[in-house]
Amino acid sequence: MEDDSLNVFLKDGGTLRIRLRRFSKLWVATHEQRCDFRISASGTVLRWGQLDEDISVRDLMRDAERRHRDERLTSQVPTNFPWDPTPALLSGTHPKLAGRLIDGRFVVGLTAEERFIRWDLCEDLAQQLVPKTLKDAAKYPQNSREVTLRRMRRAIANKEWTERLETDWLMERLRTLLNW
């Protein structure tokens, strides 16, 4: 046990390092209280009797897998792709954000998986628009590249496939793919 994290050593040789901030009772506990724990007979639960805190190793592993998946997905999405194209705000005197309970956590905005799916859709659409844009430019040679791109943007907006921020990103991506 370190001052800011809990290290769980697994039978298979793996290690889970969990920030204590995730567990409020452990975070505010003294070092002695943190060190006073038991492992269940099955080896699946960590128990702090003084703190009345139980932590399931299975839950820790599921959270670690989710964080690893989220990091992998996030690393594939360009940093300039929007995180939350439609923030959910609730009206009232005090500002409020709408959140969703996902796997025991409140999430405001897109999850890493949702963001990856939105980016993948936009990237695929940009790739498909390259030949369509070139065809439109050849059909209307009197139009400048900017006019052609505006025509493409209107067509995308009319379909309502993407949110405004995603459309902005999509048009920049299309411009890059076309070298315009």
Side-chain angles (χ1 to χ4, degrees), residues 115-131:
R115 184 171 180 251
F116 174 82
I117 290 168
R118 297 298 303 170
W119 165 76
D120 191 45
L121 177 141
C122 289
E123 177 64 25
D124 183 57
L125 186 53
Q127 297 287 339
Q128 291 181 46
L129 285 173
V130 169

Side-chain angles (χ1 to χ4, degrees), residues 65-99:
E65 287 171 5
R66 187 194 72 245
R67 281 193 310 277
H68 178 70
R69 182 194 71 225
D70 289 353
E71 288 170 7
R72 183 177 43 80
L73 291 173
T74 297
S75 71
Q76 294 179 51
V77 179
T79 56
N80 65 342
F81 189 77
W83 261 103
D84 194 7
T86 54
L89 299 174
L90 304 174
S91 63
T93 306
H94 300 287
K96 301 171 211 71
L97 293 174

Side-chain angles (χ1 to χ4, degrees), residues 36-50:
D36 183 21
F37 71 95
R38 293 181 189 210
I39 301 172
S40 68
S42 64
T44 61
V45 177
L46 304 173
R47 170 93 178 125
W48 285 264
Q50 287 184 48

Side-chain angles (χ1 to χ4, degrees), residues 3 8 23 38 41 50 69 76-77 85 93 106 143 145 147:
D3 286 340
V8 179
F23 306 100
R38 293 181 189 210
Q50 287 184 48
R69 182 194 71 225
Q76 294 179 51
V77 179
T93 306
F106 283 102
N143 289 345
R145 290 177 172 176
V147 169

Side-chain angles (χ1 to χ4, degrees), residues 16-77:
L16 297 174
R17 183 169 189 231
I18 300 99
R19 296 272 179 214
L20 289 177
R21 287 182 190 262
R22 293 188 50 220
F23 306 100
S24 58
K25 289 181 182 180
L26 292 176
W27 179 245
V28 298
T30 66
H31 181 73
E32 291 75 26
Q33 288 174 317
R34 290 179 192 158
C35 290
D36 183 21
F37 71 95
R38 293 181 189 210
I39 301 172
S40 68
S42 64
T44 61
V45 177
L46 304 173
R47 170 93 178 125
W48 285 264
Q50 287 184 48
L51 303 173
D52 191 31
E53 180 75 25
D54 294 328
I55 298 176
S56 161
V57 175
R58 180 179 298 148
D59 290 345
L60 292 176
M61 290 180 68
R62 187 186 69 233
D63 289 348
E65 287 171 5
R66 187 194 72 245
R67 281 193 310 277
H68 178 70
R69 182 194 71 225
D70 289 353
E71 288 170 7
R72 183 177 43 80
L73 291 173
T74 297
S75 71
Q76 294 179 51
V77 179

